[in-house]
Amino acid sequence: MIFEFWFDQSAPEIYEEYLRESERVRAALAEVDGCHGVERFSSCATPGKFVAIGFFDNEEAVTRWRNRPEHRRAQGLGRARLFTDYRLRMAELVRDHGPHDRAEVPMDSRRVHG
């Protein structure tokens, strides 16, 4: 899950409310089977823009999360008051590798980097 969202920069109390609400929601996330957490990042290029990346096993886990009362409450707050804009994208993983897990490295990269 890739969730981009924006806050009104002239209303820092809105961002503070979001932080309080997100802590409540984060606690509920740990209880959902197939959810592996959400990380939030602020944009270096666009003031007031944030990105949250959520990690889920599959669409069923996303559905379990989406239908939690805590999440539905947060969605309503986001739409009604917290966010000036947002965009949600659901994506599927194409490849997954790192320095110690090289099984999915593309062949052209293996030829160059060994």
Side-chain angles (χ1 to χ4, degrees), residues 76-104:
L77 285 172
R79 287 188 185 102
R81 172 163 89 239
L82 300 178
F83 306 138
T84 58
D85 199 4
Y86 69 89
R87 168 126 347 247
L88 176 66
R89 293 179 176 92
M90 298 305 291
E92 291 188 28
L93 186 64
V94 174
R95 183 172 44 252
D96 182 7
H97 62 83
H100 306 291
D101 180 3
R102 307 291 292 159
E104 295 185 32

Side-chain angles (χ1 to χ4, degrees), residues 15-113:
Y15 181 64
E16 292 300 320
E17 182 180 356
Y18 164 78
L19 290 176
R20 288 189 303 274
E21 188 64 29
S22 69
E23 284 308 311
R24 287 187 208 107
V25 171
R26 186 177 303 278
L29 182 66
E31 300 173 6
V32 179
D33 185 43
C35 296
H36 301 285
V38 175
E39 295 285 333
R40 179 181 53 240
F41 306 92
S42 62
S43 173
C44 295
T46 307
K49 177 183 175 182
F50 295 82
V51 175
I53 301 174
F55 301 92
F56 299 88
D57 284 344
N58 50 41
E59 188 63 27
E60 292 79 20
V62 173
T63 300
R64 286 190 293 274
W65 167 241
R66 187 175 55 242
N67 288 300
R68 291 287 299 231
E70 301 89 347
H71 183 246
R72 291 294 189 193
R73 179 180 183 280
Q75 282 180 316
L77 285 172
R79 287 188 185 102
R81 172 163 89 239
L82 300 178
F83 306 138
T84 58
D85 199 4
Y86 69 89
R87 168 126 347 247
L88 176 66
R89 293 179 176 92
M90 298 305 291
E92 291 188 28
L93 186 64
V94 174
R95 183 172 44 252
D96 182 7
H97 62 83
H100 306 291
D101 180 3
R102 307 291 292 159
E104 295 185 32
V105 173
M107 198 51 74
D108 59 328
S109 292
R110 288 176 192 229
R111 283 193 293 271
V112 172
H113 301 292

